[in-house]
Amino acid sequence: VQLQAFGGGLVQAGGSLRLSCVASGGVFSTYAMGWFRQAPGKEREFVARMSWNGASVYYADSVKGRFTISRDNAKNTVYLQMRSLKPEDTAIYYCARDRVPRRTYDSVTASAYEYWGQGTQVTVSS
């Protein structure tokens, strides 16, 4: 499975960006997808997750109300709409596919994800 993330860039505080992640070479529709981020000098942290069927979403407190995760199983794509961006949102953003198909509970730990995209840089200027 290959994940290709794109859509990052430089934006002013208060602005918006939409990240996309396209999966290829494997099954997409029966796995939850997540977004993580890693800022310079910090550990990778969970951002958002959507279940395989879209019925369940989960967000980190730091992005709740500002970010929205969605998916289009017909296009093997997961999105992260980011609004009201803050300088502290600056990081490399990674998409990831769950290890377990149709997982019935949310997992926010990186170890729950098997495949990772290469990351896309998001920089928010103040």
Side-chain angles (χ1 to χ4, degrees):
V1 176
Q2 293 185 328
L3 302 177
Q4 181 76 30
F6 55 95
L10 173 64
V11 63
Q12 289 188 332
S16 299
L17 281 175
R18 189 176 83 154
L19 306 183
S20 301
C21 173
V22 181
S24 61
V27 178
F28 176 84
S29 62
T30 56
Y31 290 83
M33 295 294 296
W35 287 96
F36 287 73
R37 67 186 181 185
Q38 188 166 18
K42 294 187 177 181
E43 294 186 354
R44 189 171 299 191
E45 65 173 0
F46 169 79
V47 174
R49 170 187 170 92
M50 175 169 273
S51 62
W52 65 277
N53 59 359
S56 174
V57 294
Y58 192 77
Y59 297 97
D61 288 343
S62 59
V63 306
K64 203 172 294 183
R66 299 188 299 121
F67 291 11
T68 303
I69 187 172
S70 61
R71 65 189 295 162
D72 185 339
N73 284 347
K75 296 182 178 179
N76 285 359
T77 302
V78 61
Y79 306 96
L80 186 68
Q81 177 68 52
M82 305 184 294
R83 298 182 176 88
S84 301
L85 283 161
K86 305 174 182 180
E88 51 263 45
D89 294 319
T90 295
I92 299 174
Y93 283 72
Y94 299 90
C95 58
R97 198 202 78 172
D98 201 335
R99 292 183 180 275
V100 178
R102 298 186 178 91
R103 191 188 294 269
T104 56
Y105 60 92
D106 290 320
S107 179
V108 303
T109 59
S111 60
Y113 297 82
E114 183 172 12
Y115 296 101
W116 294 80
Q118 84 290 357
T120 184
Q121 176 71 49
V122 172
T123 302
V124 184
S125 62
S126 56

